[in-house]
Amino acid sequence: MTESSPVPSGPGRPKDPAKREAILAAAQTLFLGNGYEGSSMDAIAAEAGVSKLTLYSHFKDKEALFGAAVKATCETRLPRRLFVLEHGREFRSVLLDIAQAFHELVISPESIGLHRLMVAMAAQNPTLSRMFFDAGPQKLLLDLEQLLDQAHRCQLLDVPEPMRAAEHFCSLIKGAAHFRLLIGYAERPDAEDGKRHVEDCVALFMRAYAGETDTVDRTGS
């Protein structure tokens, strides 16, 4: 069920970025701690230390706030700078940085809690499930698709279908360890095991999509 704003949104004073960040942080805390249905807009406003009117001036309803919270989490863990090809840099190094950041994200308590929440909500609120996927996993896949397409045009890899390759990449990184964490079967892997897993996955991906070279020396025109 969507909690709608009690007042129509419209132009007004500039919004305070600090209050927006506080609202997003509060939403992340309450959604994970109390679930989606158990987190009211009143409670989120109180947790953020803002009025309900201020909350609704930033987010029109709870679904919009949830989507923004998911997006903010992903952008913090996987910033845009990771998906940039730099002249003279090995593409393997680019993929390693992305893979490491993605692996740390998917095994984080926040991510595991969010995935469990979405599984529980899937049958009740498919719209929310789509919003979650579009704001988080789909955004990552699109960023990877663009990067892999550029690598293909630069002949760094042979990737004629970059979206399929992006899905392969993410599936490799998540692996069985993510499922074990999701169902509470195992503890979070330590840093050394995580690093070895990431390196193995990137090496396998590079072999599967081997190109002519592994160093950025052209713009892909």
Side-chain angles (χ1 to χ4, degrees), residues 111-189:
S111 177
I112 294 300
L114 190 55
H115 276 77
R116 288 171 177 164
L117 172 62
M118 295 317 304
V119 170
M121 290 292 299
Q124 305 171 41
N125 194 337
T127 298
L128 190 68
S129 297
R130 288 192 292 271
M131 182 178 292
F132 163 74
F133 189 82
D134 289 343
Q138 183 68 8
K139 179 65 168 57
L140 169 62
L141 288 171
L142 290 172
D143 286 342
L144 271 172
E145 178 187 32
Q146 183 177 3
L147 176 70
L148 294 172
D149 180 62
Q150 188 177 359
H152 179 73
R153 289 185 283 108
C154 291
Q155 298 182 0
L156 303 176
L157 290 179
D158 183 19
V159 192
E161 297 182 76
M163 177 53 78
R164 291 190 66 186
E167 293 183 358
H168 294 161
F169 182 83
C170 291
S171 296
L172 282 171
I173 300 302
K174 290 177 73 173
H178 179 260
F179 187 67
R180 294 190 190 101
L181 284 172
L182 198 60
I183 63 173
Y185 180 82
E187 297 296 321
R188 175 185 167 116

Side-chain angles (χ1 to χ4, degrees), residues 50-73:
V50 302
S51 69
K52 195 172 179 181
L53 185 62
T54 296
L55 188 155
Y56 277 116
S57 74
H58 287 270
F59 304 99
K60 67 178 183 178
D61 54 37
K62 190 163 73 169
E63 286 186 355
L65 176 54
F66 179 79
V70 172
K71 182 179 179 182
T73 299

Side-chain angles (χ1 to χ4, degrees), residues 90-106:
E90 286 187 348
F91 190 63
R92 176 180 176 276
S93 177
V94 176
L95 287 183
L96 277 171
D97 285 349
I98 294 172
Q100 186 64 47
F102 179 57
H103 183 253
E104 290 175 2
L105 170 62
V106 298

